PDB file of all heavy atoms in Angstrom:
ATOM      1  N   SER J 361      40.204 -22.015 -35.826  1.00  0.00           N
ATOM      2  CA  SER J 361      40.857 -23.305 -35.579  1.00  0.00           C
ATOM      3  C   SER J 361      40.057 -24.077 -34.553  1.00  0.00           C
ATOM      4  O   SER J 361      39.263 -23.515 -33.788  1.00  0.00           O
ATOM      5  CB  SER J 361      42.308 -23.063 -35.091  1.00  0.00           C
ATOM      6  OG  SER J 361      43.065 -22.563 -36.106  1.00  0.00           O
ATOM      7  N   ASN J 362      40.305 -25.397 -34.533  1.00  0.00           N
ATOM      8  CA  ASN J 362      39.617 -26.252 -33.554  1.00  0.00           C
ATOM      9  C   ASN J 362      40.649 -27.124 -32.808  1.00  0.00           C
ATOM     10  O   ASN J 362      41.487 -27.772 -33.453  1.00  0.00           O
ATOM     11  CB  ASN J 362      38.614 -27.167 -34.265  1.00  0.00           C
ATOM     12  CG  ASN J 362      37.719 -27.849 -33.265  1.00  0.00           C
ATOM     13  OD1 ASN J 362      36.742 -27.248 -32.783  1.00  0.00           O
ATOM     14  ND2 ASN J 362      38.000 -29.071 -32.940  1.00  0.00           N
ATOM     15  N   ILE J 363      40.553 -27.098 -31.533  1.00  0.00           N
ATOM     16  CA  ILE J 363      41.510 -27.907 -30.712  1.00  0.00           C
ATOM     17  C   ILE J 363      40.699 -29.134 -30.227  1.00  0.00           C
ATOM     18  O   ILE J 363      39.759 -28.980 -29.463  1.00  0.00           O
ATOM     19  CB  ILE J 363      42.022 -27.109 -29.522  1.00  0.00           C
ATOM     20  CG1 ILE J 363      42.543 -25.725 -29.910  1.00  0.00           C
ATOM     21  CG2 ILE J 363      43.090 -27.881 -28.732  1.00  0.00           C
ATOM     22  CD1 ILE J 363      43.723 -25.711 -30.860  1.00  0.00           C
ATOM     23  N   GLY J 364      41.113 -30.313 -30.679  1.00  0.00           N
ATOM     24  CA  GLY J 364      40.366 -31.544 -30.386  1.00  0.00           C
ATOM     25  C   GLY J 364      40.308 -31.869 -28.903  1.00  0.00           C
ATOM     26  O   GLY J 364      41.183 -31.431 -28.147  1.00  0.00           O
ATOM     27  N   ALA J 365      39.322 -32.664 -28.559  1.00  0.00           N
ATOM     28  CA  ALA J 365      39.068 -32.990 -27.172  1.00  0.00           C
ATOM     29  C   ALA J 365      40.317 -33.586 -26.513  1.00  0.00           C
ATOM     30  O   ALA J 365      41.067 -34.399 -27.104  1.00  0.00           O
ATOM     31  CB  ALA J 365      37.947 -34.010 -27.062  1.00  0.00           C
ATOM     32  N   GLY J 366      40.577 -33.195 -25.264  1.00  0.00           N
ATOM     33  CA  GLY J 366      41.639 -33.792 -24.514  1.00  0.00           C
ATOM     34  C   GLY J 366      43.047 -33.332 -24.871  1.00  0.00           C
ATOM     35  O   GLY J 366      44.029 -33.918 -24.423  1.00  0.00           O
ATOM     36  N   SER J 367      43.157 -32.357 -25.733  1.00  0.00           N
ATOM     37  CA  SER J 367      44.498 -31.897 -26.146  1.00  0.00           C
ATOM     38  C   SER J 367      45.119 -31.078 -24.999  1.00  0.00           C
ATOM     39  O   SER J 367      44.453 -30.395 -24.261  1.00  0.00           O
ATOM     40  CB  SER J 367      44.439 -31.060 -27.402  1.00  0.00           C
ATOM     41  OG  SER J 367      44.045 -31.905 -28.482  1.00  0.00           O
ATOM     42  N   ILE J 368      46.447 -31.142 -24.928  1.00  0.00           N
ATOM     43  CA  ILE J 368      47.187 -30.413 -23.893  1.00  0.00           C
ATOM     44  C   ILE J 368      48.266 -29.535 -24.498  1.00  0.00           C
ATOM     45  O   ILE J 368      49.042 -30.042 -25.350  1.00  0.00           O
ATOM     46  CB  ILE J 368      47.876 -31.428 -22.923  1.00  0.00           C
ATOM     47  CG1 ILE J 368      46.855 -32.446 -22.333  1.00  0.00           C
ATOM     48  CG2 ILE J 368      48.658 -30.682 -21.847  1.00  0.00           C
ATOM     49  CD1 ILE J 368      45.864 -31.879 -21.370  1.00  0.00           C
ATOM     50  N   PHE J 369      48.316 -28.330 -24.065  1.00  0.00           N
ATOM     51  CA  PHE J 369      49.459 -27.450 -24.426  1.00  0.00           C
ATOM     52  C   PHE J 369      50.459 -27.599 -23.265  1.00  0.00           C
ATOM     53  O   PHE J 369      50.240 -27.012 -22.189  1.00  0.00           O
ATOM     54  CB  PHE J 369      48.987 -26.003 -24.537  1.00  0.00           C
ATOM     55  CG  PHE J 369      48.150 -25.758 -25.758  1.00  0.00           C
ATOM     56  CD1 PHE J 369      46.893 -26.342 -25.952  1.00  0.00           C
ATOM     57  CD2 PHE J 369      48.626 -24.900 -26.805  1.00  0.00           C
ATOM     58  CE1 PHE J 369      46.142 -26.108 -27.078  1.00  0.00           C
ATOM     59  CE2 PHE J 369      47.902 -24.675 -27.929  1.00  0.00           C
ATOM     60  CZ  PHE J 369      46.637 -25.256 -28.073  1.00  0.00           C
ATOM     61  N   ALA J 370      51.486 -28.420 -23.486  1.00  0.00           N
ATOM     62  CA  ALA J 370      52.458 -28.662 -22.432  1.00  0.00           C
ATOM     63  C   ALA J 370      53.445 -27.513 -22.364  1.00  0.00           C
ATOM     64  O   ALA J 370      54.423 -27.455 -23.156  1.00  0.00           O
ATOM     65  CB  ALA J 370      53.162 -29.991 -22.692  1.00  0.00           C
ATOM     66  N   ASN J 371      53.232 -26.565 -21.456  1.00  0.00           N
ATOM     67  CA  ASN J 371      53.996 -25.326 -21.488  1.00  0.00           C
ATOM     68  C   ASN J 371      55.167 -25.293 -20.515  1.00  0.00           C
ATOM     69  O   ASN J 371      55.981 -24.416 -20.528  1.00  0.00           O
ATOM     70  CB  ASN J 371      53.079 -24.126 -21.171  1.00  0.00           C
ATOM     71  CG  ASN J 371      52.405 -24.279 -19.824  1.00  0.00           C
ATOM     72  OD1 ASN J 371      52.224 -25.364 -19.326  1.00  0.00           O
ATOM     73  ND2 ASN J 371      52.064 -23.129 -19.232  1.00  0.00           N
ATOM     74  N   TYR J 372      55.256 -26.296 -19.662  1.00  0.00           N
ATOM     75  CA  TYR J 372      56.203 -26.258 -18.517  1.00  0.00           C
ATOM     76  C   TYR J 372      57.172 -27.433 -18.604  1.00  0.00           C
ATOM     77  O   TYR J 372      56.713 -28.589 -18.594  1.00  0.00           O
ATOM     78  CB  TYR J 372      55.351 -26.297 -17.238  1.00  0.00           C
ATOM     79  CG  TYR J 372      56.140 -26.059 -15.999  1.00  0.00           C
ATOM     80  CD1 TYR J 372      57.075 -25.053 -15.837  1.00  0.00           C
ATOM     81  CD2 TYR J 372      55.899 -26.869 -14.857  1.00  0.00           C
ATOM     82  CE1 TYR J 372      57.766 -24.826 -14.695  1.00  0.00           C
ATOM     83  CE2 TYR J 372      56.572 -26.639 -13.660  1.00  0.00           C
ATOM     84  CZ  TYR J 372      57.507 -25.632 -13.580  1.00  0.00           C
ATOM     85  OH  TYR J 372      58.192 -25.414 -12.402  1.00  0.00           O
ATOM     86  N   ASP J 373      58.465 -27.149 -18.665  1.00  0.00           N
ATOM     87  CA  ASP J 373      59.463 -28.210 -18.722  1.00  0.00           C
ATOM     88  C   ASP J 373      60.004 -28.540 -17.327  1.00  0.00           C
ATOM     89  O   ASP J 373      61.002 -29.239 -17.240  1.00  0.00           O
ATOM     90  CB  ASP J 373      60.567 -27.856 -19.687  1.00  0.00           C
ATOM     91  CG  ASP J 373      61.318 -26.587 -19.271  1.00  0.00           C
ATOM     92  OD1 ASP J 373      61.128 -26.129 -18.139  1.00  0.00           O
ATOM     93  OD2 ASP J 373      62.051 -26.001 -20.123  1.00  0.00           O
ATOM     94  N   GLY J 374      59.344 -28.044 -16.330  1.00  0.00           N
ATOM     95  CA  GLY J 374      59.794 -28.268 -14.961  1.00  0.00           C
ATOM     96  C   GLY J 374      60.632 -27.122 -14.411  1.00  0.00           C
ATOM     97  O   GLY J 374      60.810 -27.004 -13.210  1.00  0.00           O
ATOM     98  N   VAL J 375      61.124 -26.260 -15.295  1.00  0.00           N
ATOM     99  CA  VAL J 375      61.905 -25.075 -14.862  1.00  0.00           C
ATOM    100  C   VAL J 375      61.250 -23.822 -15.429  1.00  0.00           C
ATOM    101  O   VAL J 375      60.971 -22.886 -14.723  1.00  0.00           O
ATOM    102  CB  VAL J 375      63.332 -25.206 -15.337  1.00  0.00           C
ATOM    103  CG1 VAL J 375      64.151 -23.992 -14.817  1.00  0.00           C
ATOM    104  CG2 VAL J 375      64.003 -26.499 -14.853  1.00  0.00           C
ATOM    105  N   ASN J 376      61.045 -23.846 -16.748  1.00  0.00           N
ATOM    106  CA  ASN J 376      60.549 -22.629 -17.394  1.00  0.00           C
ATOM    107  C   ASN J 376      59.202 -22.892 -18.128  1.00  0.00           C
ATOM    108  O   ASN J 376      58.922 -24.045 -18.462  1.00  0.00           O
ATOM    109  CB  ASN J 376      61.558 -22.125 -18.447  1.00  0.00           C
ATOM    110  CG  ASN J 376      62.829 -21.709 -17.755  1.00  0.00           C
ATOM    111  OD1 ASN J 376      62.789 -20.901 -16.805  1.00  0.00           O
ATOM    112  ND2 ASN J 376      63.946 -22.243 -18.222  1.00  0.00           N
ATOM    113  N   LYS J 377      58.481 -21.806 -18.339  1.00  0.00           N
ATOM    114  CA  LYS J 377      57.252 -21.880 -19.132  1.00  0.00           C
ATOM    115  C   LYS J 377      57.560 -21.445 -20.552  1.00  0.00           C
ATOM    116  O   LYS J 377      58.347 -20.492 -20.764  1.00  0.00           O
ATOM    117  CB  LYS J 377      56.190 -20.941 -18.538  1.00  0.00           C
ATOM    118  CG  LYS J 377      55.871 -21.170 -17.041  1.00  0.00           C
ATOM    119  CD  LYS J 377      54.886 -22.272 -16.862  1.00  0.00           C
ATOM    120  CE  LYS J 377      54.686 -22.684 -15.419  1.00  0.00           C
ATOM    121  NZ  LYS J 377      53.977 -21.745 -14.619  1.00  0.00           N
ATOM    122  N   HIS J 378      57.017 -22.126 -21.550  1.00  0.00           N
ATOM    123  CA  HIS J 378      57.258 -21.815 -22.915  1.00  0.00           C
ATOM    124  C   HIS J 378      55.958 -21.557 -23.665  1.00  0.00           C
ATOM    125  O   HIS J 378      54.907 -21.948 -23.252  1.00  0.00           O
ATOM    126  CB  HIS J 378      58.048 -22.916 -23.611  1.00  0.00           C
ATOM    127  CG  HIS J 378      59.366 -23.195 -22.944  1.00  0.00           C
ATOM    128  ND1 HIS J 378      60.468 -22.425 -23.105  1.00  0.00           N
ATOM    129  CD2 HIS J 378      59.724 -24.155 -22.036  1.00  0.00           C
ATOM    130  CE1 HIS J 378      61.458 -22.882 -22.376  1.00  0.00           C
ATOM    131  NE2 HIS J 378      61.022 -23.951 -21.724  1.00  0.00           N
ATOM    132  N   HIS J 379      56.091 -20.939 -24.840  1.00  0.00           N
ATOM    133  CA  HIS J 379      54.957 -20.448 -25.588  1.00  0.00           C
ATOM    134  C   HIS J 379      54.641 -21.377 -26.799  1.00  0.00           C
ATOM    135  O   HIS J 379      55.562 -21.955 -27.426  1.00  0.00           O
ATOM    136  CB  HIS J 379      55.233 -19.056 -26.074  1.00  0.00           C
ATOM    137  CG  HIS J 379      54.061 -18.341 -26.581  1.00  0.00           C
ATOM    138  ND1 HIS J 379      53.782 -18.257 -27.927  1.00  0.00           N
ATOM    139  CD2 HIS J 379      53.043 -17.704 -25.945  1.00  0.00           C
ATOM    140  CE1 HIS J 379      52.655 -17.571 -28.078  1.00  0.00           C
ATOM    141  NE2 HIS J 379      52.178 -17.237 -26.900  1.00  0.00           N
ATOM    142  N   THR J 380      53.355 -21.510 -27.095  1.00  0.00           N
ATOM    143  CA  THR J 380      52.932 -22.285 -28.268  1.00  0.00           C
ATOM    144  C   THR J 380      52.121 -21.419 -29.172  1.00  0.00           C
ATOM    145  O   THR J 380      51.294 -20.647 -28.699  1.00  0.00           O
ATOM    146  CB  THR J 380      52.015 -23.474 -27.813  1.00  0.00           C
ATOM    147  OG1 THR J 380      52.773 -24.292 -26.911  1.00  0.00           O
ATOM    148  CG2 THR J 380      51.548 -24.312 -29.004  1.00  0.00           C
ATOM    149  N   LYS J 381      52.372 -21.558 -30.460  1.00  0.00           N
ATOM    150  CA  LYS J 381      51.597 -20.774 -31.435  1.00  0.00           C
ATOM    151  C   LYS J 381      50.910 -21.744 -32.411  1.00  0.00           C
ATOM    152  O   LYS J 381      51.603 -22.594 -33.022  1.00  0.00           O
ATOM    153  CB  LYS J 381      52.467 -19.787 -32.159  1.00  0.00           C
ATOM    154  CG  LYS J 381      51.705 -18.783 -32.977  1.00  0.00           C
ATOM    155  CD  LYS J 381      52.566 -17.680 -33.472  1.00  0.00           C
ATOM    156  CE  LYS J 381      51.670 -16.769 -34.331  1.00  0.00           C
ATOM    157  NZ  LYS J 381      52.442 -15.939 -35.218  1.00  0.00           N
ATOM    158  N   VAL J 382      49.619 -21.576 -32.552  1.00  0.00           N
ATOM    159  CA  VAL J 382      48.843 -22.389 -33.526  1.00  0.00           C
ATOM    160  C   VAL J 382      48.215 -21.436 -34.471  1.00  0.00           C
ATOM    161  O   VAL J 382      47.636 -20.404 -34.035  1.00  0.00           O
ATOM    162  CB  VAL J 382      47.787 -23.200 -32.780  1.00  0.00           C
ATOM    163  CG1 VAL J 382      46.910 -23.968 -33.771  1.00  0.00           C
ATOM    164  CG2 VAL J 382      48.457 -24.243 -31.867  1.00  0.00           C
ATOM    165  N   GLY J 383      48.316 -21.713 -35.790  1.00  0.00           N
ATOM    166  CA  GLY J 383      47.795 -20.775 -36.781  1.00  0.00           C
ATOM    167  C   GLY J 383      46.285 -20.830 -36.930  1.00  0.00           C
ATOM    168  O   GLY J 383      45.547 -21.307 -36.081  1.00  0.00           O
TER     169      GLY J 383
END
Side-chain angles (χ1 to χ4, degrees):
S361 290
N362 191 80
I363 310 297
S367 294
I368 304 292
F369 288 65
N371 59 334
Y372 187 45
D373 60 14
V375 182
N376 296 308
K377 304 277 170 73
H378 301 281
H379 193 261
T380 301
K381 191 170 176 199
V382 173

